[in-house]
Amino acid sequence: MALDMTATKSAHEEARELCQVQPQRWEAAWHCRMAHHGATVRFDRPVDTIPVSVTGSACALDCAHCNRVYLRHMRTLSEVAAPDVLPAAASLLISGGCDARGRVPLMAHLETLRGLAAVHRLNLHVGLIDEDEARALAPLVEVVSFDVVGDRRAAREVYGLDVGLDDYMRTLDALRRHVAVVPHVTIGLRGGQPSGEFAALDALAARDIERLVYIVLIPTAGTRYAQCEPPPLAYVADLLLETRLRLPRTDLILGCMRPRGRYGRVLDLLALRAGANALVNPSHLAVEEAAALGLEVTWGSVCCALD
């Protein structure tokens, strides 16, 4: 068996080696970050946001990266809608399984959502809804988190949906006419392979978005991608750098859904050096690195799209 030489390196050493590739781009990204955002970074531990599924563990799609695994750990809508179950300060991430068209079936729960919105901050995952649905949901929510896939092949393989980037952009544009939207892009969605992330970046850059969340494929037991590897860190770093340079004023966020362990520790270091504005559930190395980079840290306790 060949020795994995990365196992003999520290996370700092591996991150440093990756930063030595195209050092001018790393320097440019850092200067861009400091010029437009200053020496501050936000670390979020979203303990005050409760994830809720409107479909329980049901989903019409057999998604290769999820297969309903993540729905099982969410509260149900009936649980959180019961009187006196939640503190008034709690925020809710309302999501759920999709229907066969890739939509989270929220419209059937408008009255319940309206009641929750009266006392809680709501962040909705909506899927590929139409403009009438966006218009109806907008008064109830503070923000919508919207997943963008930049490659039709990835959407077909992962979700079983024959949709392309234009379809996602039509939904995004419709949503933005009515409500604040935070696009999310999963890096390596198609089993750790390139999945149209740079095409998605092109489309989002043309829209001058205020916030962008990157998450990273987690090979998950019980899914078709369980034995895959997450995307190469060099690829992720290249995307983060390009995003910082292409979207200098946008808040660039490394979201909660990403691998942990050694991979996650190196990724956190790279994200900070590439100029990310926020990290969710940062590793202890990220906290130390922020101090070493001279960044002032603020801490948040809600979902990054709400912070």
Side-chain angles (χ1 to χ4, degrees):
M1 180 183 295
L3 177 65
D4 180 3
M5 294 303 294
T6 62
T8 67
K9 302 174 186 173
S10 71
H12 277 292
E13 289 171 330
E14 188 172 351
R16 191 177 304 115
E17 288 185 6
L18 287 166
C19 290
Q20 288 171 352
V21 179
Q22 297 183 306
Q24 297 86 354
R25 290 184 75 218
W26 287 96
E27 183 177 356
W30 184 256
H31 284 308
C32 180
R33 181 242 201 284
M34 296 298 287
H36 293 283
H37 303 279
T40 62
V41 67
R42 189 178 76 252
F43 289 155
D44 292 322
R45 298 200 187 281
V47 294
D48 292 328
T49 298
I50 297 171
V52 180
S53 170
V54 300
T55 63
S57 60
C59 180
L61 306 180
D62 182 23
C63 297
H65 68 315
C66 174
N67 194 31
R68 307 175 186 88
V69 169
Y70 293 101
L71 294 175
R72 300 170 194 162
H73 308 291
M74 302 174 75
R75 304 282 286 275
T76 66
L77 194 59
S78 60
E79 286 175 333
V80 298
D84 303 322
V85 168
L86 301 177
S91 56
L92 304 179
L93 170 60
I94 308 288
S95 185
C98 289
D99 64 17
R101 293 171 53 189
R103 302 173 303 174
V104 179
L106 298 166
M107 296 299 290
H109 306 284
L110 275 180
E111 287 306 312
T112 302
L113 293 175
R114 187 172 288 112
L116 290 171
V119 288
H120 306 290
R121 302 171 68 196
L122 301 189
N123 172 15
L124 297 190
H125 274 153
V126 298
L128 292 165
I129 64 173
D130 61 32
E131 186 150 10
D132 287 341
E133 292 170 312
R135 187 182 294 110
L137 292 167
L140 309 181
V141 304
E142 184 167 328
V143 67
V144 165
S145 292
F146 181 67
D147 295 323
V148 174
V149 180
D151 178 66
R152 183 178 293 270
R153 178 183 176 186
R156 187 182 299 117
E157 180 178 314
V158 175
Y159 302 120
L161 297 173
D162 189 20
V163 293
L165 181 57
D166 287 347
D167 298 295
Y168 285 97
M169 289 300 103
R170 275 193 292 272
T171 300
L172 177 64
D173 292 340
L175 286 165
R176 293 181 79 202
R177 286 191 282 269
H178 302 284
V179 67
V181 185
V182 178
H184 287 52
V185 176
T186 302
I187 307 174
L189 176 64
R190 189 173 62 85
Q193 302 301 309
S195 306
E197 296 88 353
F198 284 92
L201 174 59
D202 288 342
L204 294 170
R207 287 161 171 79
D208 194 26
I209 58 171
E210 295 181 359
R211 283 186 173 187
L212 172 59
V213 176
Y214 280 126
I215 56 181
V216 181
L217 176 78
I218 304 172
T220 300
T223 73
R224 281 178 279 154
Y225 289 159
Q227 302 306 314
C228 293
E229 295 293 329
L233 283 163
Y235 180 80
V236 180
D238 192 34
L239 180 64
L240 293 173
L241 286 173
E242 187 66 14
T243 303
R244 181 74 290 160
L245 294 170
R246 293 280 303 280
L247 297 172
R249 295 177 178 82
T250 298
D251 279 347
L252 174 57
I253 301 168
L254 186 61
C256 59
M257 297 296 292
R258 63 185 191 275
R260 300 296 167 179
R262 178 190 176 81
Y263 182 102
R265 292 191 293 273
V266 177
L267 174 56
D268 284 6
L269 298 177
L270 294 172
L272 286 173
R273 296 178 187 185
N277 299 92
L279 277 68
V280 183
N281 293 328
S283 63
H284 72 279
L285 285 185
V287 177
E288 295 172 358
E289 182 73 358
L293 291 171
L295 297 174
E296 179 183 352
V297 175
T298 61
W299 288 89
S301 62
V302 296
C303 173
C304 65
L306 289 167
D307 212 337

